Amino acid sequence: MTHSPGQVGAPRAEAQRRREPAGVTLRHVAAAAGVSVATASRAFSRPEKFDPSTRARILRLADELRYVPHRAAQALITGRTMSLGLVVPDLTNPFFPGVIKGAQARARERGLSLLIADTDEDPGAELALVGQLAQRTDAVVLCSSRMPDDDLDRAARLCPVVLVNREHPGVPAVTFDSDAGVREAAVHLRALGHRRVGYVGGPAHSFSDAARAAGLHAEFPAHGLEVVLLGNHDPSFEGGRRAADVVLSSDVTAVMVHNDVMALGLVGRLLDYGLDIPRELSVIGWDDIEFAGMFTPGLTTVRMPREDAGRAAVGYLEAALGGRTSEPPRLETHLVFRQTTARAHERRPG
Amino acid sequence: MTHSPGQVGAPRAEAQRRREPAGVTLRHVAAAAGVSVATASRAFSRPEKFDPSTRARILRLADELRYVPHRAAQALITGRTMSLGLVVPDLTNPFFPGVIKGAQARARERGLSLLIADTDEDPGAELALVGQLAQRTDAVVLCSSRMPDDDLDRAARLCPVVLVNREHPGVPAVTFDSDAGVREAAVHLRALGHRRVGYVGGPAHSFSDAARAAGLHAEFPAHGLEVVLLGNHDPSFEGGRRAADVVLSSDVTAVMVHNDVMALGLVGRLLDYGLDIPRELSVIGWDDIEFAGMFTPGLTTVRMPREDAGRAAVGYLEAALGGRTSEPPRLETHLVFRQTTARAHERRPG
DNA sequence: CGACCTTGTGCACACGATTGCATGCCGGGT
DNA sequence: ACCCGGCATGCAATCGTGTGCACAAGGTCG
């Protein structure tokens, strides 16, 4: 209104004041096609009810001009950033890159991007982090969070949230169904003649540790196996090594371990002690990280389909943002047989 | 102009048409403070030349109202998204989470976010990926890219780019200086009595493989060591295992391996063969991934400070975007001594 | 005492895309 | 011949923030 409106040509010169090459905008393609910006926009968003030839021409021109929509502008007007956040406690824990990979693949298929945040194992920082992410993303997936319950409530109010490997009332969650895996482990150990099986636990207040222990207590007795709790330990290689003494001084012939990294630490230390694994002690881990099969002896373990979990989590959020309601899945786990389990034998007294 | 302009109160009702709770905007805090939106905005961006009391009042109110700036709106007007992209070939390769972690930490300190993209080991897809990232980020770091040279040129024209662990004329790069690490390895092996040392290579056209081989050729002869090339192999555990036969049928007493994962595969297979490591063969890996110290025997290896690399890469980009020019660093590597190296012995003929 | 500078603040436009409403055109029915 | 409906398209407002320029108030100096 203030300036001659007929000129639909190049963006006005003064726009170049600050700002790099500027890129081609909808205005350019509209001008090139001899239509208004509105029409150009609709050529993308409203394929239906549109003159096919006009539409085709616009799209072709957009392509030739290498037009790419400006995400920030879209985000501003639509209120959707088209990106998701993903929070993990520790990237160097081999469990998480798997779920990230899955999440990322699904996100890419859908034209979404993924912001990864690592909390450095600090549950207290997670809420703040979700707050930051909420500004830049439409929703976030919280992975194996050890966030306190009320922080979790607050986070869920901040923006749409989906949990992975944790449950909390009122918050959707992609979970792992330990049952099948644990049952297979029970059958396996029982068949090998074991009767008393230890459980080397992870962090005391971790949700997944509680879930795993519960699975054991639910399934093992039904198969004639006694479960012996062997304490809570740091979920690290060192934590596994340190658990060796407890295991050694118990009278179990087999142990389940909270995760693979710990299990590998435990096995390593026990081998150092001169123990013959699996002859004197069978060990079963949890997760099936890549390295589980690379160690000697290869670790028997309960596989968690973590890429599937990542995919499912973003799939759920994408549906939820689109207004479609869906139920996040509960994923099956299974036992992977390798070399750390064998027939039960008496162990010579420690 | 079309509607009564006096009303500076809440955003106009019709704005609520579509759009969730809407959040509090600069307009809210401006209204609360009794100033214009422009002043409120400047309270943040122009601390200097500002009436201190007004500024303090505005900031306090902003805080009370829980105002958080709308990133998309800022991005639209400033042309800066305040986020960076990071492209890696494979997240599940333990090398990369390390650099991501470093990058992420530095980015967070600076209020930047990081978009991670995994190319699934497909160098052909990388350029397209950078294109996508360029829309949503201000710059991208390309990590150990195997992208062809001209793709790399194109990518660098798309948006500011920094390379990690790769070099290319005209593109800034955070690199690893193999020299110190390789020299230490040479001294170490020589002291242990080795004379002929094999090199188990990675992918044929990989930049880092060329760099590593070059380092060997530059340093080893100077220390009286002969280098024997033992071919190119897949940079995976399996690749390392498959290299075992070549190693066994050569007459070297020690090998350097392109990376730790391969080295671990190689060692595992050789142990399967009944070889006594390190007595019959010394093995040195490259990277110092977490698991290198967890295997038995612990892998002697050349450490790459990968978190530092991540930090340096985003540090460089941040400076570059801020107009400050800097030189991306060349990071020192060092040998980490563990159990796969020992005095040279004749090996009984294969 | 007036001209000029400094300092603090507001007006208005811009960024690039989306979208409700209006408009113009064309054809068919009464 | 006129009106109405459908269809394709344009107008203009809008999202939330940043910033050049104008302008007012107060102070200083000649």
Side-chain angles (χ1 to χ4, degrees):
Chain A
M1 203 173 277
T2 66
H3 43 261
S4 60
Q7 282 298 73
V8 232
R12 322 221 278 312
E14 74 227 45
Q16 309 293 8
R17 225 175 329 163
R18 62 182 176 284
R19 189 72 104 272
E20 54 265 35
V24 354
T25 77
L26 252 195
R27 182 150 50 213
H28 292 99
V29 349
V35 299
S36 76
V37 187
T39 304
S41 170
R42 273 188 280 256
F44 292 95
S45 46
R46 295 289 152 79
E48 77 279 1
K49 49 173 62 177
F50 214 95
D51 182 47
S53 74
T54 316
R55 180 171 135 81
R57 182 164 46 91
I58 297 178
L59 292 187
R60 186 171 45 74
L61 280 166
D63 196 53
E64 279 173 18
L65 294 176
R66 304 212 132 59
Y67 165 74
V68 328
H70 192 296
R71 320 294 307 214
Q74 289 182 314
L76 181 56
I77 187 73
T78 63
R80 294 269 317 257
T81 62
M82 299 304 273
S83 53
L84 303 178
L86 173 48
V87 180
V88 300
D90 178 16
L91 267 171
T92 58
N93 175 334
F95 180 81
F96 300 110
V99 353
I100 295 178
K101 204 161 182 170
Q104 224 250 341
R106 167 68 44 98
R108 184 142 72 227
E109 288 167 23
R110 305 297 211 260
L112 302 166
S113 18
L114 208 58
L115 266 73
I116 315 290
D118 177 310
T119 65
D120 262 319
E121 293 280 7
D122 177 0
E126 289 191 28
L127 181 58
L129 217 57
V130 174
Q132 287 187 28
L133 282 178
Q135 299 171 36
R136 322 169 104 105
T137 63
D138 296 328
V140 349
V141 4
L142 248 44
C143 201
S144 299
S145 169
R146 265 185 257 146
M147 202 188 280
D149 280 8
D150 19 340
D151 277 18
L152 203 48
D153 281 323
R154 266 191 285 272
R157 276 197 303 269
L158 236 44
C159 68
V161 160
V162 67
L163 265 23
V164 170
N165 197 20
R166 158 135 191 208
E167 293 175 65
H168 183 76
V171 183
V174 174
T175 52
F176 295 98
D177 179 6
S178 291
D179 291 2
V182 170
R183 204 173 309 121
E184 287 169 17
V187 171
H188 180 53
L189 290 176
R190 175 70 201 216
L192 293 174
H194 296 273
R195 289 295 176 274
R196 289 169 59 76
V197 179
Y199 175 60
V200 177
H205 300 295
S206 130
F207 174 86
S208 65
D209 191 62
R212 285 162 193 202
L216 254 38
H217 283 116
E219 297 290 338
F220 274 38
H223 290 80
L225 293 171
E226 184 181 348
V227 176
V228 181
L229 295 181
L230 298 176
N232 295 100
H233 305 266
D234 190 71
S236 63
F237 191 78
E238 251 317 289
R241 288 178 70 83
R242 278 197 292 264
D245 288 353
V246 190
V247 171
L248 209 51
S249 53
S250 77
D251 61 348
V252 301
T253 56
V255 290
M256 304 276 302
V257 185
H258 173 260
N259 73 29
D260 282 353
V261 179
M262 292 174 70
L264 294 173
L266 175 66
V267 169
R269 169 64 64 90
L270 290 175
L271 291 174
D272 289 349
Y273 285 170
L275 210 71
D276 182 354
I277 289 181
R279 196 169 182 285
E280 294 184 84
L281 183 79
S282 288
V283 178
I284 299 184
W286 226 302
D287 286 351
D288 192 29
I289 61 176
E290 277 81 8
F291 282 93
M294 302 186 185
F295 273 68
T296 334
L299 185 68
T300 298
T301 187
V302 178
R303 157 173 293 161
M304 311 278 277
R306 48 195 185 286
E307 297 207 8
D308 293 344
R311 260 188 294 272
V314 342
Y316 170 82
L317 285 179
E318 192 224 354
L321 290 175
R324 283 158 290 150
T325 112
S326 63
E327 195 68 23
R330 189 164 182 82
L331 302 169
E332 284 272 305
T333 62
H334 289 285
L335 190 66
V336 177
F337 300 85
R338 284 197 271 256
Q339 289 94 47
T340 52
T341 43
R343 302 257 305 276
H345 286 86
E346 278 306 304
R347 198 161 78 232
R348 60 175 190 282
Chain B
M1 203 173 278
T2 67
H3 42 263
S4 61
Q7 281 298 75
V8 232
R12 321 218 279 310
E14 74 228 44
Q16 309 293 5
R17 225 176 329 163
R18 64 183 175 285
R19 189 73 104 274
E20 55 264 31
V24 355
T25 75
L26 253 195
R27 180 148 55 209
H28 291 99
V29 350
V35 299
S36 76
V37 186
T39 304
S41 170
R42 276 187 279 255
F44 292 95
S45 46
R46 296 287 151 81
E48 76 281 1
K49 50 173 63 176
F50 214 94
D51 182 45
S53 74
T54 317
R55 179 172 136 80
R57 182 164 45 90
I58 296 178
L59 293 186
R60 186 172 44 74
L61 280 166
D63 197 51
E64 279 172 19
L65 294 175
R66 305 209 131 61
Y67 164 73
V68 330
H70 192 296
R71 320 293 307 216
Q74 289 182 315
L76 179 55
I77 188 73
T78 61
R80 294 271 314 258
T81 63
M82 300 302 273
S83 52
L84 303 178
L86 173 48
V87 179
V88 300
D90 179 16
L91 267 172
T92 57
N93 175 335
F95 179 80
F96 300 111
V99 352
I100 296 178
K101 204 162 180 168
Q104 224 250 342
R106 167 69 42 98
R108 184 141 74 227
E109 288 167 21
R110 305 297 211 259
L112 302 166
S113 14
L114 208 58
L115 266 72
I116 315 289
D118 178 308
T119 65
D120 261 319
E121 294 280 6
D122 177 1
E126 289 191 29
L127 181 59
L129 216 57
V130 174
Q132 285 187 29
L133 281 178
Q135 300 170 35
R136 322 169 103 106
T137 63
D138 296 329
V140 349
V141 5
L142 248 43
C143 203
S144 300
S145 168
R146 265 185 259 145
M147 201 188 281
D149 280 7
D150 19 341
D151 277 18
L152 203 48
D153 282 322
R154 266 192 286 272
R157 275 197 302 270
L158 236 43
C159 69
V161 160
V162 66
L163 265 23
V164 170
N165 198 19
R166 160 137 190 205
E167 293 175 65
H168 183 77
V171 183
V174 174
T175 52
F176 295 99
D177 178 6
S178 292
D179 292 1
V182 169
R183 206 173 308 122
E184 287 169 20
V187 172
H188 180 53
L189 290 176
R190 176 69 202 217
L192 292 174
H194 297 273
R195 290 293 176 273
R196 288 170 60 77
V197 178
Y199 175 59
V200 177
H205 301 296
S206 130
F207 174 86
S208 65
D209 191 62
R212 285 164 192 200
L216 255 38
H217 283 118
E219 297 290 340
F220 274 38
H223 290 79
L225 294 170
E226 183 183 348
V227 176
V228 181
L229 295 182
L230 297 176
N232 295 102
H233 305 266
D234 191 70
S236 64
F237 192 78
E238 253 316 292
R241 288 177 70 82
R242 278 198 291 264
D245 289 353
V246 190
V247 171
L248 209 51
S249 52
S250 75
D251 60 348
V252 301
T253 57
V255 290
M256 304 277 303
V257 185
H258 173 260
N259 73 29
D260 283 353
V261 180
M262 292 174 69
L264 293 172
L266 173 67
V267 169
R269 168 65 62 90
L270 290 175
L271 291 175
D272 289 350
Y273 285 169
L275 211 70
D276 183 353
I277 290 182
R279 197 172 182 283
E280 295 183 84
L281 182 78
S282 288
V283 177
I284 299 184
W286 226 302
D287 285 351
D288 192 30
I289 62 176
E290 277 81 9
F291 281 93
M294 302 186 186
F295 273 67
T296 337
L299 185 68
T300 297
T301 187
V302 178
R303 157 172 292 160
M304 310 279 276
R306 48 194 185 285
E307 297 208 8
D308 293 344
R311 259 189 294 272
V314 344
Y316 169 83
L317 285 180
E318 192 224 353
L321 291 174
R324 282 158 291 148
T325 111
S326 64
E327 195 68 22
R330 188 164 182 83
L331 302 168
E332 284 273 305
T333 62
H334 288 285
L335 190 66
V336 178
F337 300 85
R338 284 198 271 255
Q339 291 94 46
T340 51
T341 41
R343 303 257 304 277
H345 286 86
E346 279 305 304
R347 197 161 80 232
R348 63 174 190 280

